[in-house]
Amino acid sequence: MPISANNPDRTSWLHVGKNSDFPIQNIPFGVFLTRDDIITIGTRIGDTAIDLGALHQLGYFEGIPLTDDIFLQDTLNDFIADGRKTWRLVRNRIAEIFDAENDTLKNNIPHKETILFRLDEIEMQLPIQVGDYTDFYASKEHATNVGTMFRDPNNALLPNWVHMPVGYHGRSSSIIPSGIPIHRPQGQTMPEGADKPVFGPSKLVDFELEMAFITTDANDLGEPIPIEEAEEYIFGLVLFNDWSARDIQKWEYVPLGPFLGKSFASSMSPWIVTLDALEPFRVESPKQDPKPLEYLQTKGKKSFDINLEVGIQPKGAKEATVCKSNFKYMYWNMAQQLAHHTVNGCPVNSGDMMGSGTISGPTEDSYGSMLELSWKGTKPLKMKDGTERKFINDYDTVIMRGYCEKDGTRIGFGSVKTQLLPIFNPKKKKK
Amino acid sequence: MPISANNPDRTSWLHVGKNSDFPIQNIPFGVFLTRDDIITIGTRIGDTAIDLGALHQLGYFEGIPLTDDIFLQDTLNDFIADGRKTWRLVRNRIAEIFDAENDTLKNNIPHKETILFRLDEIEMQLPIQVGDYTDFYASKEHATNVGTMFRDPNNALLPNWVHMPVGYHGRSSSIIPSGIPIHRPQGQTMPEGADKPVFGPSKLVDFELEMAFITTDANDLGEPIPIEEAEEYIFGLVLFNDWSARDIQKWEYVPLGPFLGKSFASSMSPWIVTLDALEPFRVESPKQDPKPLEYLQTKGKKSFDINLEVGIQPKGAKEATVCKSNFKYMYWNMAQQLAHHTVNGCPVNSGDMMGSGTISGPTEDSYGSMLELSWKGTKPLKMKDGTERKFINDYDTVIMRGYCEKDGTRIGFGSVKTQLLPIFNPKKKKK
C-alpha cells in the first residue's frame, strides 16, 4: 500500500508555520482532553489539534474498518493493536481530508467547530497505557563514555556490548507526558569514602536524551520475531527523557541493574510520530564490527536521521541549549532491538515501549546526559543567567526537541518538557 | 474491623478434605472460565469453585459497596483497587454464606446450580493484569550461594545487599498462570573458553522458587509509602516460578541486570491468598545486622511461616521432591520491599506484582533453584525414573506448592505447575 500521506508536494488548508514540526506530511497520534473535558484521540496539523473521535463520528473515515469507539478512548492501545494496514489507511485519509485541494470539511463550519481545536484549548495526555517498558543501551559513544568514567578507559565497553543490544526492563508506572513536573527523588547513597550508606535527596539528578518506539501486538509467548519482520510491529516514536539519579543508581545497581535511580520518572513527548512518516529520513546504521550473529543482521537503511537537542531552563531564566545529537548515532537499530528482545520468546504487546538508551554523538557537545556533558561534574556548563550546572537543579526545566529535515520537508516531534521540583513534602500536601 | 473470615472454629457446609489448602478460613481470589465459557471472578472452598459474579447478581453481597460488574471481569484489578476495607467485607460475607450454620444458599438448589462448580468444570486464568512486575533478591542464603559460586566465597554478598532489598524490574508480558507450558528459550551465550558468542537453545534452564505479592493502588508519582503503612497496600500472595536461563543470563547481565535470561516466562499459582488469611501465620523476620536505615525499620512480626516445596516430574515418571524451603527465610520482608520501592516516589498500582527472589533456606535441600541444588551442575539430583538432573530437561514439569499450618488450621496456595517444552518450531506451528 503506498503511503500517500507522505506526498511531499501536498499542502493543507490548515495554516502550517514555516518551521512547524507538524506539516500535513506528519500526522502524528496523541490523546488529549478537549475544552469540553472530553478525552479523545487526535492528531495535529500546524498548531491545530484535530479530534479524531469527532471526525470518525461524522463519517469521515467511512470505508475504513474501524470500530465506532476506536478514537473515543483514553489511550491509543486499541488503535495501535489494529495494525499497520489500518494506521496507513487512517493517515492517508486524514491527509486527503485536510489537503488544500479538498474543501468538504474546509467549507463545513459546524463540522470544523466540532473537530478542530487551538492548542491552548486542549491538554495533552499520556498517549498509551504502557504495558512493559524496556530501555536499551544502544549508543556506542554513551556506553564508551560511561565505561571510561566508571571502569577502565582502555576497556570501556564490556565484552557483550558489541554482540547484542544490551537492555533492561524499566518501570512503566512512572512514565509521564511532557508538562508534568517531578520531585527530586530521595534514597540511599554511599558517599565517597564513607563506610555506611546515608539516606537523603539525590544530589546528582540527570536527564538522559533518548527516543522510544512504541509497538503493536507482535508475537505470542515462545515465538521470536524474525528481524526482517520487526519493523512491521513498530507504530511510531517519541522523544524520551529517562530521568536518572546517578548517586542512587551507583550504589544500588550491582548486580541486578538500575532500579530506584531510574524509576522515579521518565517523560515522553505527547505526539507519537509514526514510523511511516519517518520513511523519507532513513539512513544506513553505523558499520558493525564484529558482524552480529545472524538473528541480528539487517539489510538496507534501518536508522533514521533525527536531529535532537536538549535545553535547560533555570527558573526565571532563558533556556540554554546544552546538547545537539542525532538518533542516527545509535549503534543498534530498532529492528535489532526488537528481534533481540523476542528471540527468547518474550511477548511484545500493543503499547509496549522501548527506549533507545542515552543517545550520545561523537563530539563533546553531542553527549546525551549531564554525566557526560559535565564529565562527572568536572566541567560545569554555563546557563544563560550566569549560573553553572553539573547536574539538574531544583526548579530547572529540561526540554528535549527532535526533528527530521530533507528536501524542504520537516517532520518533528515537538518537545518533552519537565520541571524538577524539590523533594516531596508530605506536610505541604496535607494543607 | 475484625477479620471474622479467619475464625478457626468455623466449618463449611461445602466438603473440605482433611489436607485441603482451601478450608473456609482461606477464601482466596482467582479468575476462571466456567463450563458456559464465561469469565468470572471466583473463590474456592475445598474442591468447589464459587462464582462470585453470580453470587453478587443474586444479591448475596447486599450492603457491601460494590459496583454491579465488579466480579464480572477478566481480572481482579478493579476489585483490588477497591481497597482493604472492601476485601475484608467480601471475605467475611463469603465465610458467613458458606458457614455450616447458614442454610440460606445451602438449601437453594437453583442458586447453587448457578454459583458452584466442580474444579474439572472450570479453567483457571491469569488473575490480574500485571502492570509492573518487580523481582527482589531478598534471601540471604540465595544471594550468598550465588555470590560464592560466581564471585568470591569470602565476599559472597555485595556491599549494598545488607543495606537494602536489592531488586530489579522484570517483564510483565511473560507472566502466565499455572498449567501453561513454555518453550525452552534460545539466545546468545558465551561458551566457556570461547572467544565469541554462539546462538542456540539455552542449556541451563532453571526454576526459581519464589512467592510474589500483589498490590493495590498505593501512591501518586513522587510520594513515598511510609514503612508502617506498607502492608495496607498488599492484597495477597501467590507461588511464583521465575524461570531462568542461566547461560543466557550469565552473558547478558553485566552491567544492566537480567533481561532475556528471565523474560521468556514466569509462572504463578492462580489463587491469590489474601494477606488477611495469612494473619495467623506471622513470625519474626530474621535479625538484621547491620540495622537498616530508618525508612526500612519495621516493628512486630512482618514475616510469614509458609512451607514451600518444589517437585520435578519427568515425562511419564513420578514427581520427585527436590527442595523444601520456607517464606520466613527472607531477610527483607514485604513491608521493607514496598517502602524501599517507593522511597524515590515510584508509583505502585493495583495489579502490580513483587517477587521475593529465590527463597533458599540454610540447608542444602532447602535451596530454591537447580543452580544451587546441583551446585552449578556438580551434584546432579536423582529423579524417580533413575535419570539425573543438573537443570531442567525438555518435557519436565516443575511443580511448586506452599501452605501454612498452625493449631490445626491449614491455609495453602495449591500449586504452580509448568511443563518445559523443546524450543519453538515455526514450521510445526504453520501445519
Side-chain angles (χ1 to χ4, degrees):
Chain A
M1 185 178 1
I3 317 176
S4 74
N6 289 358
N7 177 359
D9 299 325
R10 195 194 306 267
T11 56
S12 175
W13 51 264
L14 284 169
H15 174 73
V16 176
K18 195 166 173 275
N19 275 319
S20 174
D21 280 351
F22 303 98
I24 193 166
Q25 287 77 18
N26 190 340
I27 312 180
F29 292 91
V31 172
F32 56 80
L33 198 66
T34 70
R35 58 191 166 216
D36 311 313
D37 248 3
I38 291 166
I39 293 245
T40 185
I41 287 171
T43 184
R44 171 177 176 177
I45 294 176
D47 286 341
T48 304
I50 299 161
D51 179 340
L52 295 180
L55 207 58
H56 188 25
Q57 279 187 311
L58 293 168
Y60 287 88
F61 291 119
E62 212 189 292
I64 301 178
L66 294 167
T67 56
D68 288 348
D69 63 348
I70 191 73
F71 296 123
L72 298 171
Q73 308 209 12
D74 55 7
T75 71
L76 279 157
N77 292 49
D78 286 353
F79 176 62
I80 294 173
D82 281 345
R84 167 145 306 197
K85 201 177 154 186
T86 303
W87 315 331
R88 284 197 180 159
L89 289 169
V90 168
R91 257 185 91 247
N92 288 345
R93 179 68 59 87
I94 294 169
E96 283 167 29
I97 297 167
F98 293 94
D99 188 312
E101 309 284 310
N102 184 343
D103 43 21
T104 313
L105 176 59
K106 185 183 171 188
N107 292 340
N108 190 326
I109 296 188
H111 279 192
K112 282 204 292 188
E113 277 175 356
T114 311
I115 290 165
L116 305 181
F117 295 82
R118 290 192 319 270
L119 294 183
D120 61 7
E121 295 176 308
I122 64 165
E123 199 179 286
M124 297 303 298
Q125 309 291 305
L126 195 69
I128 46 171
Q129 183 181 3
V130 182
D132 277 296
Y133 152 49
T134 300
D135 201 26
F136 286 95
Y137 185 54
S139 150
K140 194 169 188 173
E141 288 80 3
H142 171 66
T144 305
N145 286 340
V146 172
T148 301
M149 277 186 263
F150 291 107
R151 284 183 299 267
D152 172 5
N154 297 313
N155 292 291
L157 286 182
L158 287 165
N160 57 11
W161 200 93
V162 291
H163 295 287
M164 63 169 73
V166 170
Y168 68 103
H169 308 296
R171 180 82 189 174
S172 303
S173 72
S174 51
I175 295 177
I176 51 172
S178 179
I180 306 279
I182 62 171
H183 287 283
R184 178 178 294 274
Q186 301 198 79
Q188 268 194 48
T189 57
M190 179 63 101
E192 202 102 6
D195 64 348
K196 59 185 181 192
V198 297
F199 178 79
S202 166
K203 291 176 179 156
L204 308 178
V205 175
D206 200 355
F207 62 80
E208 290 196 334
L209 170 63
E210 301 197 13
M211 298 205 67
F213 67 88
I214 289 143
T215 61
T216 183
D217 291 322
N219 61 327
D220 289 332
L221 185 80
E223 306 185 7
I225 301 174
I227 193 156
E228 55 277 10
E229 287 176 25
E231 283 188 349
E232 286 302 304
Y233 302 106
I234 299 175
F235 174 65
L237 280 87
V238 292
L239 302 168
F240 195 61
N241 181 352
D242 194 30
W243 289 91
S244 300
R246 301 295 176 194
D247 43 358
I248 293 173
Q249 185 182 344
K250 191 179 172 193
W251 170 232
E252 75 176 355
Y253 92 108
V254 176
L256 298 182
F259 185 48
L260 303 188
K262 299 275 191 178
S263 65
F264 60 100
S266 315
S267 327
M268 68 188 276
S269 56
W271 294 107
I272 305 176
V273 175
T274 64
L275 200 63
D276 276 353
L278 298 171
E279 276 300 321
F281 309 98
R282 284 185 180 270
V283 289
E284 298 285 346
S285 302
K287 191 175 155 41
Q288 294 186 312
D289 180 23
K291 197 173 171 178
L293 285 163
E294 202 183 335
Y295 79 98
L296 290 173
Q297 291 171 14
T298 50
K299 282 184 208 124
K301 296 177 177 174
K302 290 283 185 282
S303 291
F304 293 84
D305 183 2
I306 306 174
N307 302 293
L308 300 169
E309 55 176 69
V310 185
I312 299 176
Q313 185 175 22
K315 196 177 181 182
K318 287 204 172 140
E319 178 187 345
T321 300
V322 296
C323 157
K324 292 195 174 202
S325 185
N326 194 302
F327 187 53
K328 73 182 176 191
Y329 295 141
M330 305 303 296
Y331 187 82
W332 295 102
N333 60 50
M334 295 183 283
Q336 291 176 318
Q337 291 170 348
L338 199 47
H340 183 62
H341 203 314
T342 60
V343 75
N344 69 342
C346 175
V348 166
N349 297 317
S350 178
D352 286 354
M353 203 160 163
M354 317 238 165
S356 56
T358 307
I359 306 168
S360 294
T363 58
E364 284 183 20
D365 61 352
S366 66
Y367 296 166
S369 65
M370 290 300 282
L371 179 70
E372 296 162 85
L373 289 165
S374 78
W375 207 256
K376 261 174 111 174
T378 59
K379 299 180 190 174
L381 304 186
K382 273 259 183 277
M383 297 290 103
K384 290 268 163 98
D385 60 2
T387 59
E388 290 188 335
R389 290 291 179 283
K390 297 174 179 175
F391 289 90
I392 304 301
N393 285 9
D394 286 352
Y395 300 109
D396 285 353
T397 299
V398 175
I399 304 150
M400 296 179 177
R401 296 187 181 82
Y403 67 94
C404 312
E405 200 151 32
K406 195 183 168 187
D407 303 332
T409 302
R410 174 182 168 124
I411 299 282
F413 291 79
S415 68
V416 54
K417 208 168 172 171
T418 312
Q419 190 181 30
L420 179 67
L421 300 177
I423 59 164
F424 174 72
N425 181 345
K427 279 177 204 150
K428 240 175 162 173
K429 200 195 173 191
K430 275 169 192 160
K431 265 182 205 168
Chain B
M1 186 177 6
I3 317 177
S4 74
N6 291 358
N7 176 0
D9 300 325
R10 194 195 305 268
T11 56
S12 176
W13 51 264
L14 284 169
H15 174 72
V16 177
K18 195 167 172 277
N19 274 318
S20 175
D21 280 351
F22 303 98
I24 194 166
Q25 288 75 20
N26 190 339
I27 313 183
F29 293 91
V31 172
F32 55 78
L33 198 66
T34 70
R35 58 192 167 217
D36 311 312
D37 249 4
I38 290 167
I39 293 245
T40 185
I41 287 170
T43 184
R44 172 177 175 176
I45 294 175
D47 287 340
T48 305
I50 298 160
D51 180 340
L52 295 181
L55 206 58
H56 188 24
Q57 280 187 309
L58 293 169
Y60 287 88
F61 291 118
E62 212 187 292
I64 302 178
L66 294 166
T67 56
D68 287 349
D69 64 347
I70 191 72
F71 296 123
L72 297 172
Q73 308 210 13
D74 54 7
T75 71
L76 278 157
N77 293 49
D78 286 352
F79 175 62
I80 294 173
D82 281 346
R84 167 146 304 194
K85 200 176 155 188
T86 303
W87 315 331
R88 283 196 181 158
L89 289 170
V90 168
R91 258 185 91 246
N92 288 347
R93 179 69 59 86
I94 294 169
E96 283 167 27
I97 298 167
F98 293 94
D99 189 311
E101 309 285 309
N102 183 343
D103 43 22
T104 313
L105 175 60
K106 184 182 173 190
N107 291 341
N108 190 326
I109 297 189
H111 280 193
K112 283 204 292 187
E113 277 175 357
T114 312
I115 289 165
L116 306 180
F117 296 83
R118 293 192 317 270
L119 294 183
D120 62 6
E121 295 175 308
I122 64 164
E123 199 179 286
M124 295 304 295
Q125 310 291 307
L126 194 69
I128 46 170
Q129 184 181 2
V130 182
D132 277 295
Y133 152 49
T134 300
D135 201 25
F136 286 96
Y137 186 54
S139 150
K140 194 168 187 174
E141 288 79 2
H142 171 67
T144 304
N145 286 340
V146 172
T148 301
M149 276 187 260
F150 291 107
R151 284 183 299 267
D152 170 8
N154 297 314
N155 292 291
L157 285 183
L158 288 166
N160 56 12
W161 200 93
V162 291
H163 295 287
M164 62 169 75
V166 170
Y168 69 101
H169 308 297
R171 181 82 189 173
S172 303
S173 71
S174 51
I175 296 177
I176 51 173
S178 179
I180 306 279
I182 62 172
H183 288 283
R184 179 179 294 274
Q186 301 197 78
Q188 269 193 46
T189 57
M190 179 64 102
E192 202 103 6
D195 63 350
K196 57 184 184 195
V198 297
F199 178 80
S202 166
K203 291 175 179 157
L204 308 178
V205 176
D206 200 355
F207 62 79
E208 289 196 336
L209 170 62
E210 301 197 13
M211 298 205 68
F213 67 88
I214 289 143
T215 60
T216 184
D217 292 320
N219 61 328
D220 290 331
L221 185 79
E223 305 183 10
I225 301 174
I227 194 156
E228 55 277 14
E229 288 176 24
E231 283 188 349
E232 286 302 304
Y233 302 107
I234 299 176
F235 174 66
L237 280 88
V238 293
L239 302 167
F240 195 62
N241 181 352
D242 193 30
W243 288 90
S244 300
R246 301 295 177 195
D247 42 358
I248 294 173
Q249 184 181 346
K250 191 180 171 191
W251 170 233
E252 74 176 357
Y253 93 108
V254 176
L256 298 182
F259 184 47
L260 304 187
K262 298 277 191 175
S263 64
F264 60 100
S266 314
S267 327
M268 68 188 276
S269 56
W271 293 107
I272 305 176
V273 176
T274 63
L275 200 64
D276 276 353
L278 298 171
E279 275 301 320
F281 308 99
R282 284 185 180 271
V283 289
E284 299 284 345
S285 303
K287 190 175 155 40
Q288 295 187 312
D289 180 23
K291 197 173 171 181
L293 284 162
E294 203 183 334
Y295 79 99
L296 290 174
Q297 291 171 13
T298 49
K299 282 184 209 125
K301 296 177 177 175
K302 291 282 184 281
S303 291
F304 293 83
D305 183 1
I306 305 174
N307 302 292
L308 301 169
E309 55 176 68
V310 185
I312 299 176
Q313 184 175 22
K315 197 177 180 180
K318 285 200 174 144
E319 177 188 344
T321 300
V322 296
C323 159
K324 291 194 176 203
S325 185
N326 195 301
F327 187 53
K328 73 181 176 192
Y329 295 142
M330 305 304 295
Y331 187 83
W332 296 101
N333 61 49
M334 294 183 283
Q336 291 177 316
Q337 291 171 348
L338 199 47
H340 183 63
H341 203 314
T342 59
V343 75
N344 69 343
C346 176
V348 166
N349 297 315
S350 176
D352 286 354
M353 204 161 163
M354 317 239 166
S356 55
T358 307
I359 306 168
S360 294
T363 59
E364 284 183 20
D365 60 353
S366 66
Y367 296 166
S369 66
M370 290 300 280
L371 178 71
E372 295 162 85
L373 288 164
S374 78
W375 206 255
K376 260 173 109 176
T378 59
K379 298 180 188 173
L381 304 186
K382 273 261 185 272
M383 297 292 101
K384 291 268 162 95
D385 59 4
T387 59
E388 291 187 333
R389 290 292 179 283
K390 296 175 178 174
F391 288 89
I392 304 302
N393 285 8
D394 287 350
Y395 300 108
D396 285 354
T397 299
V398 174
I399 305 150
M400 296 179 177
R401 295 186 181 80
Y403 66 94
C404 313
E405 201 151 29
K406 195 181 168 188
D407 304 331
T409 302
R410 173 182 168 123
I411 300 282
F413 290 79
S415 67
V416 53
K417 207 169 173 172
T418 313
Q419 190 180 31
L420 178 67
L421 300 177
I423 60 165
F424 174 72
N425 181 344
K427 280 176 202 149
K428 240 175 164 172
K429 199 196 172 189
K430 277 169 190 159
K431 263 181 201 167

